[in-house]
Amino acid sequence: CRFNDSRLGDNCTLVCDRGYRRRVASPFRVCTVDDAQNLSSGVTWVGASECVPQQCATPPLDEFADESVQECRNALYLQRCRVGCLAGYGPGGVFGRTTYDCGVKTLCQDRDCVGWVGGLPCQPLACSELPDEPHGTLDCSSTALNTTCALTCDVNSGYAPDGPATFSCSVVDASLGTVAWTSTPVCVPQPCVGTPFL
């Protein structure tokens, strides 16, 4: 309907843009007599007239997000939410925070398509790359958090680890969430034992 060209008894249907909903359930406005308005003509529009932003009611789903994810609850369409990760995790495996947007989901044709978009999931951080060991073998599947590695030295050539042969990538500072190897042993020559002369 056109508000400037409507007459008594006309109905208008309120259709909200994507990301918005009608404040009340009724989609209609009716041009009717309304004495309560105290208008000189007594004719006015009555009924729903306002579109309000939809909500992203629940926080983004991320099992490794920290408690800051709860601040995203009941965010409104077009609001942003910054989420931190648990110690040892970061957005996309990089240290920091990630930003989610309460927006319209892609590939959704319905009007109820509001949800969390963007943001990178919290993934394990990685420790530094380990150097090659010329006098032994490193058994290490990755450099990610909680990976355990083992160093085997060439004992037949007289080498042994200079520390624990098994080590792992662990959280070293929970307040910062940083990770590092618990140790980084190398193969070192073993000293000769006994006396050289009899």
Side-chain angles (χ1 to χ4, degrees), residues 19-180:
Y20 294 84
R21 63 172 178 77
R22 291 184 300 273
R23 183 179 288 280
V24 293
S26 171
F28 300 110
R29 295 194 81 199
V30 179
C31 183
T32 187
V33 175
D34 186 1
D35 293 331
Q37 295 290 327
N38 288 325
L39 299 173
S40 57
S41 68
V43 177
T44 187
W45 289 101
V46 175
S49 63
E50 186 180 12
C51 292
V52 294
Q54 289 180 290
Q55 283 186 332
C56 289
T58 56
L61 295 175
D62 191 334
E63 73 175 300
F64 299 113
D66 65 15
E67 66 280 352
S68 66
V69 76
Q70 294 305 320
E71 296 171 17
C72 302
R73 187 177 301 281
N74 297 323
L76 297 178
Y77 177 61
L78 298 181
Q79 283 186 325
R80 290 196 140 170
C81 180
R82 290 185 44 82
V83 176
C85 300
L86 296 174
Y89 293 82
V94 178
F95 187 76
R97 296 172 72 83
T98 189
T99 301
Y100 289 93
D101 292 309
C102 181
V104 176
K105 298 177 193 172
T106 56
L107 304 177
C108 183
Q109 302 303 317
D110 195 4
R111 288 210 172 270
D112 267 341
C113 292
V114 171
W116 292 109
V117 293
L120 292 170
C122 294
Q123 296 176 336
L125 297 175
C127 286
S128 59
E129 290 290 333
L130 294 167
D132 289 334
E133 175 50 61
H135 303 290
T137 307
L138 271 173
D139 181 14
C140 207
S141 60
S142 80
T143 59
L145 177 67
N146 297 326
T147 298
T148 298
C149 302
L151 174 65
T152 304
C153 295
D154 187 358
V155 291
N156 293 333
S157 297
Y159 288 88
D162 67 344
T166 303
F167 54 101
S168 61
C169 180
S170 301
V171 175
V172 291
D173 187 335
S175 64
L176 295 176
T178 54
V179 296

